[in-house]
C-alpha cells in the first residue's frame, strides 16, 4: 500500500492535516490506534482561537462550530474575589469560541469520510521504518491483517504518548509544575457569561462551559490527588469558595457526569523533523491548559505543515519542509511562554523555603495587579489568548 503522506493519529492534528492535504489534491492515509467512538467522546480542551475558527471556516469544516459554539469576547480574572474583565474584542478586535475538542474531531472525521478519505481506526503494532531514507514505511496490524504503508512523508500526529517522537533525535525541554487540575463536567447552566480564571489562597479555579446546560470547572489540586477524596459536595463547595466574586456571583450546581485529574507540564521536543518524518501537535509539545492553547497549537502546526507539503507536491521544492521546525517552533515557544506565564501568575506555589515562597507570592501578586490595571499588560494577555495572527490566510496561492 502506498500514499503521499502517511499520518499517525486521528486527533485534531492528524485529522485536520489529512483534510488540508485533500483540499490541495494530496493523498493521505490516517492510522489511529483507538476506535471512532472513543476519539469522538474523549473529553479534552474547549477553546478555539480566532485564527483556528477562521481556518476551520475557510476550509469548510466550521458550520457546526458556528451554529453550536459559544462566542466569547473576553474573560474574567478574579484576584481573591476581586473581579476584572479582560475585553478581548475591545483590546484586539478579535474573540474566541468555546467548542469542545471532541466536537472538532467529530466534524473532521465526518468530513474526511464524506470526502472518501482513508482513516483507519483500531490499528495496532504501528511501527516506523527507515524514516531518514527516501522510502519511509509504516507497518501495522488492521482487522487482524499485517500491513505495510509506504509514503513520501510521514506525519507523526500521535500525541504525547505516541511512538513518533522517539524517531526524531534531539532535545526534550520540559518544566513540571507541582500541581494538577481536577476537572469536572456537570449538567448545570453556566454561572457567568464569560470564563472565570480565579486566583485564590486555596489555589486556582476555572469556571468554563460547553453549552447553555453544561459547565466545565477546574480546581488546582496536588499532583498525587486521589479522586476518592473529592465527593461532589466537596468539589462544589471548593469551587464556590475559590470562584466567589464581588459581582454577586452565584455558582449553579448540578449532576457531575465526568471527573478527572490532569497533571500539568510544559514540554517541547526540538527539532520537529527527522528525514521524512515530521511531528505535529502534542507529539512534539504540550502546554499546561491555563492558556487554553493545546488544540490551537496542534492546529497551527498542521497549518504550516500542510502549506509546506502543498509546495512540495506542486513543485517538488522542499524549502517549506526544510524550514518547518524553525517556522513551527517560533509559535510553539510564544505559546509555551504564554501558557507558562498564565500558569505562574494564577496558581498557588508551595515552595520548600518559606522566605522564597513569600517573596514569590508578592512578585506574583504584583504581576497580576499590573496585568489587570495596565491596558498594555491586558492587551498582551488578550492578543496571546485570542491567538497571535498568522502571516497569511489559508489560501495563499
Ligand atoms: N498509533 C496510532 N495512533 C496513535 C498511537 C499509535 N501508536 N499513539 C497515539 N495515537 C493516537 C491517539 O489515540 C490519538 O487519537 O494519536 C492521537 C493523538 O491525538 P491527540 O492526543 O488529540 O493529539 P493532537 O492531535 O496533537 O491534539 C492536541 O490534544 O491532548 C490534547 O490538549 C491537547 O488539545 C490538545 C490536543
Ligand atoms: C475548558 O473549557 O476545558 C478550558 C477552558 C479554558 C482553559 C482550559 C480549559 O484555559
Amino acid at each position: 500500500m502506498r500514499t503521499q503522506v502517511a499520518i499517525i493519529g486521528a486527533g485534531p492534528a492528524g485529522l485536520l492535516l489529512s483534510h488540508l492535504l485533500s483540499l490541495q489534491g494530496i493523498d493521505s492515509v490516517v492510522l489511529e490506534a483507538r476506535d471512532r467512538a472513543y476519539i469522538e467522546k474523549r473529553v479534552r480542551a474547549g477553546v478555539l482561537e480566532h485564527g483556528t475558527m477562521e481556518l476551520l471556516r475557510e476550509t469548510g469544516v466550521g458550520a457546526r462550530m458556528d451554529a453550536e459554539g459559544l462566542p466569547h469576547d473576553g474573560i474574567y480574572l478574579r484576584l481573591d474575589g476581586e473581579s476584572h474583565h479582560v475585553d478581548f474584542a475591545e483590546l484586539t478586535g478579535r474573540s474566541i469560541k468555546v467548542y469542545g475538542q471532541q466536537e472538532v474531531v467529530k466534524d473532521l472525521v465526518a468530513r474526511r469520510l464524506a470526502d472518501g478519505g482513508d482513516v483507519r481506526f483500531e490499528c495496532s503494532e504501528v511501527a516506523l521504518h527507515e524514516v531518514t531514507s527516501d522510502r519511509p514505511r509504516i507497518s501495522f496490524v488492521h482487522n487482524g491483517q499485517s500491513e505495510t504503508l509506504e509514503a513520501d512523508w510521514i506525519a507523526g500526529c500521535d500525541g504525547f504518548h505516541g511512538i513518533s517522537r522517539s524517531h526524531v533525535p534531539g532535545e526534550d525541554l520540559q518544566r513540571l509544575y507541582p500541581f494538577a487540575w481536577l476537572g469536572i463536567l456537570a449538567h448545570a447552566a453556566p454561572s457567568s457569561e464569560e470564563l472565570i480564571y480565579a486566583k485564590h489562597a486555596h489555589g486556582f479555579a476555572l469556571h468554563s462551559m460547553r453549552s447553555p446546560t453544561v459547565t466545565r470547572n477546574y480546581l488546582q489540586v496536588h499532583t498525587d490527588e486521589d479522586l476518592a477524596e473529592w465527593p461532589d459536595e466537596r468539589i462544589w463547595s471548593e469551587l464556590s469558595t475559590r470562584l466567589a466574586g464581588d459581582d454577586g456571583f452565584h455558582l449553579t450546581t448540578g449532576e457531575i457526569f465526568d471527573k478527572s485529574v490532569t497533571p500539568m507540564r510544559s514540554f517541547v521536543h526540538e527539532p520537529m523533523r527527522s528525514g521524512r518524518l515530521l511531528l505535529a501537535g502534542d507529539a512534539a509539545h504540550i502546554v499546561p491548559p491555563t492558556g487554553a492553547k493545546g488544540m490551537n497549537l496542534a492546529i497551527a502546526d498542521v497549518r504550516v505543515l500542510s502549506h509546506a507539503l502543498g509546495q512540495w507536491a506542486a513543485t517538488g521544492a522542499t524549502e517549506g519542509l526544510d524550514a518547518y521546525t524553525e517556522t513551527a517552533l517560533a509559535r510553539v515557544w510564544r505559546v509555551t511562554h504564554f501558557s507558562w506565564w498564565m500558569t505562574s501568575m494564577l496558581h498557588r506555589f508551595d515552595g520548600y523555603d518559606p522566605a522564597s515562597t513569600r517573596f514569590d507570592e508578592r512578585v506574583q501578586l504584583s504581576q497580576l495587579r499590573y496585568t489587570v490595571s495596565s491596558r498594555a499588560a491586558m492587551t498582551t494577555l488578550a492578543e496571546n489568548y485570542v491567538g497571535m495572527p498568522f502571516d497569511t490566510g489559508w489560501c495563499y496561492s
Side-chain angles (χ1 to χ4, degrees), residues 44-47 98 181 195 197 206 208-210 216 218 289-292 385:
R44 292 270 185 82
V47 171
V98 171
W181 277 15
L195 273 61
Y197 287 77
L206 171 61
S208 180
M209 58 213 70
R210 283 291 178 274
R216 179 94 173 121
Y218 298 95
T290 326
Y385 199 105

Side-chain angles (χ1 to χ4, degrees), residues 74-282:
I75 55 168
Y76 286 110
L77 286 180
R78 205 92 105 191
L79 210 179
D80 286 325
E82 194 186 295
S83 219
H84 299 270
H85 190 226
V86 185
D87 191 332
F88 297 156
E90 202 252 326
L91 292 165
T92 70
R94 286 175 282 145
S95 57
I96 54 145
K97 224 174 239 253
V98 171
Y99 189 60
Q101 179 168 319
Q102 72 273 32
E103 305 305 325
V104 174
V105 164
K106 272 185 217 159
D107 296 344
L108 290 170
V109 169
R111 178 62 189 262
R112 279 317 289 129
L113 297 181
D115 286 350
D118 192 343
V119 184
R120 305 198 181 191
F121 297 101
E122 298 182 81
C123 295
S124 58
E125 297 173 46
V126 177
L128 302 182
H129 307 278
E130 295 181 47
V131 298
T132 53
S133 78
D134 285 344
R135 294 178 62 98
R137 328 185 287 286
I138 305 179
S139 58
F140 62 102
V141 174
H142 189 235
N143 289 336
Q145 295 271 99
S146 293
E147 309 262 10
T148 300
L149 176 61
E150 291 179 359
D152 293 305
W153 299 94
I154 297 177
C157 302
D158 48 349
F160 186 61
H161 301 288
I163 49 155
S164 301
R165 191 173 59 251
S166 65
H167 292 265
V168 180
E171 190 180 4
D172 290 341
L173 299 125
Q174 77 168 328
R175 172 88 163 76
L176 300 172
Y177 300 92
F179 40 74
W181 277 15
L182 190 169
I184 60 154
L185 279 166
H187 292 296
S191 308
S192 162
E193 73 283 6
E194 306 279 37
L195 273 61
I196 304 171
Y197 287 77
K199 176 177 161 20
H200 188 274
H202 290 194
F204 172 75
L206 171 61
H207 180 65
S208 180
M209 58 213 70
R210 283 291 178 274
S211 75
T213 56
V214 172
T215 50
R216 179 94 173 121
N217 296 280
Y218 298 95
L219 287 167
Q220 176 185 350
V221 295
H222 294 296
T223 43
D224 55 355
E225 201 75 35
D226 181 3
L227 267 182
E229 304 279 319
W230 286 91
D232 295 3
E233 313 74 61
R234 180 173 176 212
I235 292 176
W236 288 121
S237 153
E238 194 57 27
L239 282 168
S240 297
T241 304
R242 296 190 196 181
L243 290 168
D246 51 9
D247 53 1
F249 176 80
H250 173 75
L251 183 64
T252 307
T253 63
E255 183 209 340
I256 296 177
F257 62 92
D258 189 271
K259 233 188 245 189
S260 61
V261 174
T262 315
M264 312 262 283
R265 81 165 94 199
S266 296
F267 175 95
V268 181
H269 182 87
E270 295 185 346
M272 291 170 66
R273 171 180 171 190
S274 174
R276 290 186 166 254
L277 170 63
L278 302 129
L279 302 178
D282 276 19

Side-chain angles (χ1 to χ4, degrees), residues 7-16 30-35 38-39 42-47 101 105 120-127 138 140 156-164 262 280-289 292-299 301-302:
I7 300 173
I8 312 180
L15 290 166
L16 184 61
V30 181
L31 305 178
E32 165 59 46
R34 305 282 189 165
D35 64 34
Y38 181 91
I39 64 158
R42 189 166 42 192
V43 176
R44 292 270 185 82
V47 171
Q101 179 168 319
V105 164
R120 305 198 181 191
F121 297 101
E122 298 182 81
C123 295
S124 58
E125 297 173 46
V126 177
I138 305 179
F140 62 102
C157 302
D158 48 349
F160 186 61
H161 301 288
I163 49 155
S164 301
T262 315
D282 276 19
H285 43 71
I286 48 176
V287 288
K293 288 283 167 239
M295 171 169 49
N296 294 294
L297 192 53
I299 284 173
D301 283 351
V302 299

